[in-house]
Amino acid sequence: MMMMQLQETTTQKNSLFNAMNSFIGAVKNMDQTILLPSLLRDVPLDEDSQMSSLKSEEEEGDMYSYYQLLKSIRGEIEWGVRHGTSDETRKESMKVTRSHSSMSMSSLSSASSEEEDEIEDENLQSQFQYHLTGLQMVLSKLTDQANSLTKRYKKELGIGGWGQ
């Protein structure tokens, strides 16, 4: 019985649900700690190596923009992605669908439908595992970044030991 609980705990630790809850909790903590988000404006990310990984080459960004980004991602996880997010996202998804369906059509002539179903099922499973792993890694990084932003805010205000 004890061994089964231990295995379940390890499995649960690596679950997508746990990763989402950790991220949401970190962002809620960040939101409760950062009472004056405007103080984050124009504060560069350079000092914190974990936060500097957020910067893209063409965009500088400050702590406030990443505070907003993390809150936005939390909202999308809790409430779903808004349908009108961007035309570009829709176009990309249509390209993927078209290329997948054209590959399926060409494979119809060369393989029997049973073989195709098996290949497609294996492909779906491997795609799912690939994306699930990627999503868990991204959520873990975002959680670390929310925690880092919270610590940095406390440091900037000189309240490093509070709430720990």
Side-chain angles (χ1 to χ4, degrees):
M1 181 73 171
M2 183 68 148
M3 184 63 143
M4 188 173 210
Q5 285 178 332
L6 182 63
Q7 287 174 337
E8 286 176 9
T9 304
T10 303
T11 304
Q12 289 171 347
K13 181 180 177 188
N14 295 322
S15 76
L16 177 60
F17 185 70
N18 189 46
M20 288 189 309
N21 279 336
S22 294
F23 171 70
I24 290 169
V27 174
K28 283 182 181 178
N29 181 46
M30 177 188 76
D31 206 20
Q32 290 171 350
T33 302
I34 300 175
L35 300 176
L36 298 169
S38 60
L39 293 177
L40 298 172
R41 288 189 193 275
D42 302 323
V43 177
L45 298 171
D46 297 341
E47 289 181 28
D48 193 332
S49 60
Q50 213 168 18
M51 296 302 291
S52 64
S53 69
L54 290 169
K55 286 199 286 190
S56 64
E57 289 181 23
E58 66 275 352
E59 180 187 349
E60 277 302 305
D62 59 5
M63 287 181 59
Y64 180 77
S65 62
Y66 288 103
Y67 168 83
Q68 293 291 66
L69 175 71
L70 291 167
K71 285 185 59 170
S72 172
I73 293 171
R74 181 189 80 184
E76 289 178 355
I77 289 173
E78 291 179 328
W79 302 104
V81 178
R82 294 182 201 103
H83 291 285
T85 51
S86 76
D87 290 333
E88 200 171 299
T89 305
R90 262 187 248 122
K91 287 177 187 174
E92 282 300 314
S93 103
M94 289 183 78
K95 283 181 190 174
V96 170
T97 303
R98 281 189 199 134
S99 68
H100 184 278
S101 62
S102 66
M103 286 174 19
S104 290
M105 293 302 276
S106 65
S107 66
L108 267 176
S109 59
S110 63
S112 73
S113 63
E114 283 181 25
E115 289 173 352
E116 184 182 301
D117 288 346
E118 279 182 33
I119 293 169
E120 206 169 287
D121 287 345
E122 288 174 15
N123 191 22
L124 287 175
Q125 183 179 6
S126 65
Q127 284 180 15
F128 174 76
Q129 290 172 345
Y130 173 80
H131 290 291
L132 180 63
T133 302
L135 183 56
Q136 287 174 319
M137 288 188 325
V138 167
L139 284 168
S140 176
K141 288 178 183 178
L142 289 170
T143 301
D144 291 344
Q145 291 168 352
N147 290 332
S148 182
L149 196 136
T150 303
K151 287 177 191 171
R152 175 92 184 273
Y153 176 83
K154 288 179 179 182
K155 179 182 166 191
E156 292 288 327
L157 290 181
I159 55 172
W162 289 19
Q164 293 184 3

